[in-house]
Each structure stands twice: as structure tokens, then as C-alpha cells.
Amino acid sequence: MGGVLYNSSGLPTFTLTGFPGLENSQHWMSLLLGTLYIVSIVGNALILFTVKEEQSLHQPMYYFLSLLSVNDVGVSFSTLLTVLATFCFHLRKISFDSCMAQMFFIHFFSFVESGVLLVMSFDCYVAICNPLRYTIMLTDSRVVCIGFWAIIRSFCLIFPLPLLLKRLPFCKANVLSHAYCLHPDLIHLPCGDITINNIFGLIIVMFTFGLDAALILFSYVLILRSVLAIASREEWLKTLNTCVSHLCAVLIFYVPKIGVSMAARYGRHAPRLVHTVMSLIFLFVPPMLNPVIYSIKTKQIRWRLGRMLGGTKF
């Protein structure tokens, strides 16, 4: 029990960590991470402003893109304070309640992003496979309902996680592997039986990331089958090009997620630095690259950003 740290409420205090083995380079890492935060927040803010101001972008596809940008900003802000505190100010202690709140928001935004990517794949499917019914099937009211579905689903699935952790006794050193709180990291710290936590965590991952990824793959199979039926090669390339941005967003979200999950389950003997870097890629890369991808691949966004930047043409 000597390694336990408790606050005034009797709950444990956790210790955040930076990059193991790179303690002498923390100031360079803080500069790099700060740059990534700025790119992510500014990039997604520009996407939101562009969609709001450009009338031609007032369509379901770009409403979903706006929700994705809001979610990416949420991901960035959910880790911002503790990452800056750890790397810039060397403040490594975090209270139990603060850690639970941060864990909730990190996983909440991750689950919302998975749901948004799923509905964006449905948008691509309808636009390509059933274009005549696009405006009928994806009305503004339905877009709002779909957005609320992604948010409510994530909230209901993540809400039990802090409660399940709070019931467990913590009697170890309570040192986390990252500069933020993640559920796979936290469930290794309690001394009690974590079977329920493990089972519940596996279930919600299967019924969100697993199911969403399977449905996205299925939608692309249907899209590809419809596109290949087009006689002209130029036409089906042009049609497929409309989904390139979404496909890139799916890959940069799910590939790091799969990597983090595989490392957590099968790479326990790998150096801690490997786990830290992979989790950073999962949390930092999608929010940073999503606005870049959509800015490059969407003509209307490029045009509007060009006007904002003084008439520059992209």
C-alpha cells in the first residue's frame, strides 16, 4: 500500500508520464505536440467556417464533415491540458475525478468519430448508388437525427466506464503510460477483479469500432459494385474520386486504432515508447489530417479557402 497516492476525498491520484527514455528531449516534444495541436484546431476551425459561409456546401455531406471537425476539435481539447502540463510545466499529478472525466471525453469523441465516419459512408453510398433519392433520403431533419444518434450512442456506451472503475480498489503506484488517461491503461492499475471492466470494454469496442468498420466496408463493396457497372473508365474514376476523402479519413482513423488495440493485447513486452507513440498517432493524426485531406480533395473548400487567403488559387 506504500505506493498509493490519495487526495483529500480518499480517491487515488494518478501520475502522468511523457516519453520514456526521451526525458532530455521533452522541450522538443512539447514544441512538436504544440504545433500538432495548433494545426488540428486551426484546420478544423477553418473547415467549420468555410462550410458555414459557403452556400454551395450546405449539403448533408458537408454537415457530416462539420460534425467530424467539431469532434476532432473535441479530441484535441480533451488531451490538451494534461499534455501541456506534462511536457511544458512538468506537472504530472492528476486527480481521480479529473482522470475519469478526461478518459470519458477521449473515448466519447473516438466513438463519435467512428459513428460519423459510418454515416458519411452511407452518404457516399446514397450519392453514388441512388442519386435520384439523395435529397429525399437525407433531409436536414434526418441529418440532425443521425448526428444526435452518433452522440447519444457514444454517451450511453462510455458513461458506465468511470463508474465501473470507481468501484475498484487502487493499491499500486498508479503511474499511467501516457500524458492522458485511457481506459486500457487504467484497468491495469486496480487490485480488484477487473473481469467486468474487460468484458464491458470488449463489448463496446466490438459493437462500435468493429460493427462500424464492417458496415463501412460493406458500403464500399456496394459502391464498388455500382461503380464497376459504369461503362466509361473516366466516369467511374470520377465517381470514385468523390469518396477518396472519406476513404482516407477512414484509413487514418481505423489503422492507428487497430494498431493500438493489437499492441495493447499482443505487444505487452514491447518497449513503452512504442505504446506511447502509437497512442499519440491515434489521438493526433486524424484531427490533424482530416481538414488537410478535405481541403485538398474538395474543390469548393479549396476555392473558399483561397478567397480567405487573399485570392490564392489552389
Side-chain angles (χ1 to χ4, degrees):
M1 298 292 290
V4 189
L5 292 171
Y6 290 95
N7 56 28
S8 59
S9 65
L11 296 173
T13 299
F14 299 102
T15 302
L16 304 169
T17 58
F19 287 97
L22 299 177
E23 287 77 8
N24 295 329
S25 303
Q26 297 283 35
H27 57 289
W28 292 110
M29 298 310 303
S30 63
L31 180 61
L32 172 62
L33 295 177
T35 303
L36 295 179
Y37 275 122
I38 293 172
V39 172
S40 173
I41 294 170
V42 172
N44 284 290
L46 285 174
I47 291 290
L48 290 170
F49 179 79
T50 303
V51 173
K52 176 180 178 295
E53 294 296 320
E54 183 59 44
Q55 289 294 324
S56 63
L57 299 179
H58 291 182
Q59 302 173 30
M61 172 184 174
Y62 300 106
Y63 294 149
F64 293 136
L65 175 59
S66 298
L67 181 56
L68 185 65
S69 293
V70 170
N71 188 79
D72 285 341
V73 171
V75 172
S76 297
F77 278 113
S78 65
T79 59
L80 177 63
L81 291 179
T82 55
V83 168
L84 291 181
T86 301
F87 287 95
C88 297
F89 304 105
H90 306 288
L91 302 174
R92 302 184 183 277
K93 303 299 180 185
I94 182 171
S95 67
F96 183 90
D97 290 335
S98 297
C99 192
M100 293 300 105
Q102 184 182 54
M103 179 198 72
F104 172 85
F105 283 111
I106 289 175
H107 292 295
F108 169 77
F109 287 122
S110 295
F111 279 38
V112 169
E113 183 151 356
S114 180
V116 173
L117 291 173
L118 172 60
V119 297
M120 291 177 80
S121 71
F122 176 72
D123 175 87
C124 289
Y125 165 76
V126 176
I128 293 175
C129 300
N130 207 345
L132 296 180
R133 299 193 61 192
Y134 183 82
T135 55
I136 299 174
M137 296 179 67
L138 289 171
T139 61
D140 289 349
S141 59
R142 284 182 179 173
V143 169
V144 172
C145 289
I146 290 172
F148 274 115
W149 164 81
I151 294 171
I152 293 172
R153 181 191 72 158
S154 300
F155 179 85
C156 292
L157 290 173
I158 299 299
F159 184 74
L161 291 182
L163 301 179
L164 289 173
L165 280 170
K166 194 169 185 177
R167 68 184 178 86
L168 296 171
F170 287 81
C171 55
K172 299 180 182 178
N174 295 334
V175 178
L176 300 176
S177 303
H178 313 288
Y180 36 81
C181 301
L182 295 176
H183 184 259
D185 197 14
L186 286 164
I187 60 173
H188 295 299
L189 300 180
C191 302
D193 186 6
I194 60 171
T195 302
I196 296 177
N197 300 68
N198 277 325
I199 293 174
F200 183 75
L202 181 61
I203 289 173
I204 63 175
V205 167
M206 289 176 59
F207 281 91
T208 50
F209 296 127
L211 182 60
D212 291 353
L215 291 174
I216 290 172
L217 179 61
F218 180 66
S219 69
Y220 270 99
V221 169
L222 297 178
I223 289 170
L224 189 60
R225 187 181 68 174
S226 177
V227 169
L228 292 177
I230 301 174
S232 170
R233 184 172 181 272
E234 289 186 2
E235 284 297 319
W236 65 258
L237 283 175
K238 182 179 179 181
T239 304
L240 275 180
N241 191 54
T242 61
C243 294
V244 169
S245 299
H246 175 259
L247 187 58
C248 290
V250 169
L251 291 175
I252 64 174
F253 177 78
Y254 281 103
V255 170
K257 176 62 182 175
I258 293 171
V260 170
S261 299
M262 295 293 288
R265 285 166 176 77
Y266 305 109
R268 293 184 179 179
H269 299 295
R272 283 178 55 193
L273 181 61
V274 173
H275 295 271
T276 303
V277 170
M278 292 186 70
S279 67
L280 284 173
I281 291 174
F282 170 63
L283 288 173
F284 280 84
V285 170
M288 181 187 67
L289 288 186
N290 282 339
V292 175
I293 291 170
Y294 278 95
S295 298
I296 292 173
K297 296 299 297 181
T298 307
K299 183 179 179 180
Q300 296 96 320
I301 293 178
R302 290 202 313 270
W303 178 79
R304 184 72 192 193
L305 288 175
R307 287 185 59 189
M308 290 171 55
L309 297 174
T312 304
K313 294 184 179 180
F314 292 88

